[in-house]
Amino acid sequence: TPDVLFIFIESYGSVVYKRSHFTPPYIEMLEAMEKGLADAGWAAVSTLSEAPTWGGGSWMSYTSALFGVLVEEQSKYDALKEKYSELEYPNIGRYFGTQGYDYVWVVPIKRRLPENREKMDHKFYGADRWITFDSLDYEGPLFGWGPSAPDQFTFGFIQEFIAKQDAPSFLVYLTQNSHYPWTPLPPVLDDWRELENLDIQDGVLSEVEKKGIPLGESRQNYLQAIDNSLNALEAFITSLENENSILVLIGDHQPPVVSRRDDGFGTMVHIISQDVNFLESFYEYGFVDGLVL
C-alpha cells in the first residue's frame, strides 16, 4: 500500500519560468533533482496549476487543494471553517481515512495557537494525528517563518515516523524554509540529525531587516531558498523506505516581492512515484514527463 504525501512548497510559483534571471538556474536545479531521483528509481510528471491566492494566503491554497473548493478570499475561508468545524467536510484526507489510512498533518512551527483556534483547526481539517514542533523534540537553531525547524530535519522526522506506522499514511506538510524573506537559510547536511548541532544563532529577521533587503538580493535569496527546498525534498524522497510511496508536490502561490500580479497565479505541481504506469495516467490531465515544464 502506498503512503501518499501531499507536500505544499511555500512560494513555489511560475515566476521562475517568466524571468530570465530565474529560469536558467531554476531549470538546472530541476535537472539535478530529476537525475538524483532517477538514480534512486523515482520518476515524475509535472504541470502548472492556478493558485487561488497571490503572494500569500497559503492556508487558502492548501485548503482549496485538499477540500476541492476554490477559496480565494479570507471571508470565504472563515465561513467555510466556521461551518465545518461543527460538520465534517469530506476532504481528501478524510477520504483516505475511510480507506484505512492514518491521516497525518505536520505543523513544525514553534508557536502555539490559542486553544480555541487550535481546536477549530483540528476539527476543520480532521487529521487523525498532528505532528507539532513539540513532537519533533528539536533543540537546534530555528529559521524563518514560524520560526521553525529546518525542513530537512522535519522531513527526516517524517521519514522515520511513517516507516514505523502499521497503517499507511496520508500526510500533509507545508514547507517553511522557502517562505519570504528567504534568508538566512539552514544548510542541507548529509545527516539531517546533525542540524540540531549547528553552532549558529536562530535565522530570523526583524521586519526592519526584511525591508532593508535590496530587490537583487531578494531574487538571489529566493533562488537559494528554492534550491534548499528541492535539495531537502530529494534527500527525503530517496530515503523513503516504502518504494510504493506517492508524493504530490504543489506550489502554494507566487512569491511576494520578486514577482508581480501580472505574472499570474500559476504554481508548479509535481507527482513523484516509482510506478511509471501510474504517472502516465496523468498525461490526459495535461501533465508532462519529468520536473521541467
Side-chain angles (χ1 to χ4, degrees):
T1 305
D3 293 310
V4 179
L5 313 175
F6 267 57
I7 297 172
F8 293 88
I9 305 177
E10 171 63 43
S11 298
Y12 188 51
S14 62
V15 67
V16 289
Y17 284 112
K18 295 173 183 284
R19 305 290 178 85
S20 58
H21 48 260
F22 286 150
T23 307
Y26 169 66
I27 289 177
E28 203 173 298
M29 292 172 203
L30 288 187
E31 288 173 344
M33 181 179 180
E34 203 171 295
K35 183 179 185 309
L37 291 174
D39 288 348
W42 298 86
V45 291
S46 302
T47 192
L48 279 182
S49 180
E50 287 286 304
T53 66
W54 181 92
S58 307
W59 54 95
M60 290 183 268
S61 283
Y62 59 70
T63 301
S64 296
L66 296 167
F67 282 51
V69 60
L70 185 63
V71 185
E72 71 275 55
E73 295 170 355
Q74 185 64 38
S75 58
K76 193 170 182 179
Y77 176 81
D78 292 340
L80 198 67
K81 182 183 270 191
E82 187 172 344
K83 182 174 182 179
Y84 290 104
S85 293
E86 300 303 322
L87 303 172
E88 289 192 357
Y89 191 96
N91 62 44
I92 191 170
R94 282 198 169 103
Y95 168 75
F96 271 92
T98 68
Q99 305 302 302
Y101 277 72
D102 193 18
Y103 173 20
V104 183
W105 197 291
V106 184
V107 187
I109 296 171
K110 191 182 180 181
R111 63 176 164 80
R112 292 298 297 270
L113 294 172
E115 192 176 344
N116 62 335
R117 166 88 185 278
E118 191 172 83
K119 268 187 183 172
M120 187 180 262
D121 273 8
H122 287 195
K123 284 182 177 178
F124 182 51
Y125 293 109
D128 300 313
R129 192 187 307 260
W130 291 78
I131 293 174
T132 63
F133 180 81
D134 291 341
S135 314
L136 298 182
D137 198 23
Y138 175 78
E139 296 181 356
L142 303 172
F143 294 86
W145 176 248
S148 307
D151 284 329
Q152 187 189 11
F153 188 91
T154 306
F155 281 136
F157 182 95
I158 291 169
Q159 186 265 323
E160 289 196 341
F161 171 84
I162 60 178
K164 292 174 187 168
Q165 300 310 297
D166 293 328
S169 297
F170 174 82
L171 183 140
V172 178
Y173 177 48
L174 169 65
T175 67
Q176 305 296 315
N177 295 153
S178 56
H179 195 288
Y180 174 77
W182 312 302
T183 186
L185 291 170
V188 176
L189 304 180
D190 289 339
D191 182 353
W192 58 272
R193 298 169 192 81
E194 289 301 314
L195 288 161
E196 276 200 293
N197 303 323
L198 290 174
D199 187 18
I200 56 177
Q201 292 184 317
D202 289 351
V204 182
L205 299 186
S206 69
E207 290 304 314
V208 173
E209 288 172 319
K210 288 177 192 174
K211 286 175 182 168
I213 302 172
L215 177 58
E217 202 174 306
S218 278
R219 288 170 174 165
Q220 281 306 117
N221 292 340
Y222 175 65
L223 272 176
Q224 286 166 3
I226 293 301
D227 193 36
N228 183 287
S229 293
L230 296 178
N231 283 330
L233 275 163
E234 181 187 332
F236 169 60
I237 295 166
T238 55
S239 69
L240 288 171
E241 291 182 24
N242 184 352
E243 294 179 350
N244 295 317
S245 297
I246 296 166
L247 297 101
V248 182
L249 313 182
I250 309 174
D252 62 349
H253 52 66
Q254 294 278 28
V257 179
V258 298
S259 69
R260 295 188 294 260
R261 280 190 176 261
D262 60 10
D263 289 317
F265 285 65
T267 65
M268 286 72 76
V269 180
H270 310 296
I271 300 176
I272 298 172
S273 167
Q274 295 199 23
D275 184 342
V276 175
N277 290 331
F278 167 73
L279 293 177
E280 287 176 351
S281 69
F282 288 90
Y283 290 165
E284 65 179 296
Y285 301 102
F287 282 75
V288 298
D289 280 328
L291 297 174
V292 180
L293 292 171

